[in-house]
């Protein structure tokens, strides 16, 4: 099983918004440039994220996207599910018709793995990912000879 680009990009883009929204709404063009994700793909993803009430859009000059809830209340599994990405390691998509319309011998193994992955991702919040990114930025800033990212002052501190 592997997480596809859709799920990875959705989580990356949501983390980008979470890190930068203290400076106001975050534009998809900005996310596209920073994360190297096509603007048209982001538009599709954010339409789904908005419909699932994970982000809110702000129109007009200075518009963009903000999280609809605090980062500590949005988990990674929600984001992946919002963009129609199944968290399923079974070959049959959970339909139990893996082999000649019946279950394969290892169906329970893959089904249990899917449950474990979903449980793990359900317990990882954007808030926790923000903290990890901030620690990483601080470690880089503390190293002698490393240039400091001046944008770090716009990154959320909660």
């Amino acid at each position: 099983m592997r997480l596809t680009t859709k799920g990875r990009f959705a989580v990356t883009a949501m983390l980008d918004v979470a890190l930068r929204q203290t400076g106001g709404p975050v534009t998809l063009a900005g996310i596209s440039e920073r994360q190297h994700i096509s603007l048209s793909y982001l538009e599709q993803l954010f339409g789904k994220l908005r419909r699932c009430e994970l982000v809110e859009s702000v129109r007009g000059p200075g518009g963009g996207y903000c999280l609809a809830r605090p980062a500590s209340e949005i988990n990674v599994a929600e984001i992946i599910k919002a963009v129609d990405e199944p968290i399923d390691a079974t070959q049959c998509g959970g339909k139990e018709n893996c082999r000649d319309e019946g279950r394969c011998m290892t169906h329970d193994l893959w089904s249990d793995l899917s449950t474990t992955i979903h449980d793990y991702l359900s317990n990882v919040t954007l808030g926790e990912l923000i903290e990890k990114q901030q620690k990483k930025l601080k470690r880089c800033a503390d190293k002698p000879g490393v240039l400091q990212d001046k944008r770090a002052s716009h990154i959320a501190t909660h």
Side-chain angles (χ1 to χ4, degrees):
M1 188 202 109
R2 65 183 181 88
L3 184 60
T4 66
T5 301
K6 188 189 305 184
R8 290 179 192 277
F9 282 178
V11 173
T12 299
M14 286 288 287
L15 181 56
D16 190 292
V17 171
L19 285 165
R20 289 176 172 79
Q21 71 177 357
T22 56
V26 180
T27 66
L28 294 185
I31 297 170
S32 175
E33 184 179 317
R34 286 186 297 274
Q35 305 306 330
H36 308 287
I37 303 171
S38 83
L39 184 56
S40 61
Y41 200 70
L42 284 171
E43 288 168 348
Q44 293 172 30
L45 293 177
F46 273 76
K48 292 177 181 189
L49 294 167
R50 188 175 32 79
R51 283 190 291 279
C52 289
E53 300 180 348
L54 294 177
V55 294
E56 294 175 341
S57 61
V58 178
R59 295 178 181 238
Y65 287 89
C66 298
L67 299 181
R69 302 191 312 256
S72 61
E73 295 177 15
I74 298 174
N75 68 59
V76 173
E78 283 182 278
I79 298 167
I80 293 170
K81 183 179 176 187
V83 296
D84 303 322
E85 182 71 22
I87 301 173
D88 186 359
T90 64
Q91 183 178 10
C92 63
K95 296 177 185 166
E96 298 186 8
N97 62 352
C98 330
R99 186 171 171 91
D100 301 324
E101 299 305 315
R103 291 169 52 135
C104 66
M105 292 184 343
T106 56
H107 180 86
D108 290 335
L109 170 69
W110 305 125
S111 181
D112 291 348
L113 176 60
S114 297
T115 300
T116 300
I117 292 169
H118 184 272
D119 290 347
Y120 171 75
L121 295 176
S122 293
N123 286 302
V124 177
T125 68
L126 279 179
E128 292 167 342
L129 296 178
I130 289 170
E131 288 177 23
K132 287 181 181 181
Q133 286 299 310
Q134 289 173 334
K135 287 178 184 174
K136 191 182 297 185
L137 285 173
K138 182 169 176 14
R139 280 195 307 269
C140 287
D142 290 344
K143 290 182 182 177
V146 175
L147 296 175
Q148 186 173 5
D149 185 351
K150 296 183 190 254
R151 295 173 296 175
S153 61
H154 296 298
I155 295 176
T157 57
H158 41 271

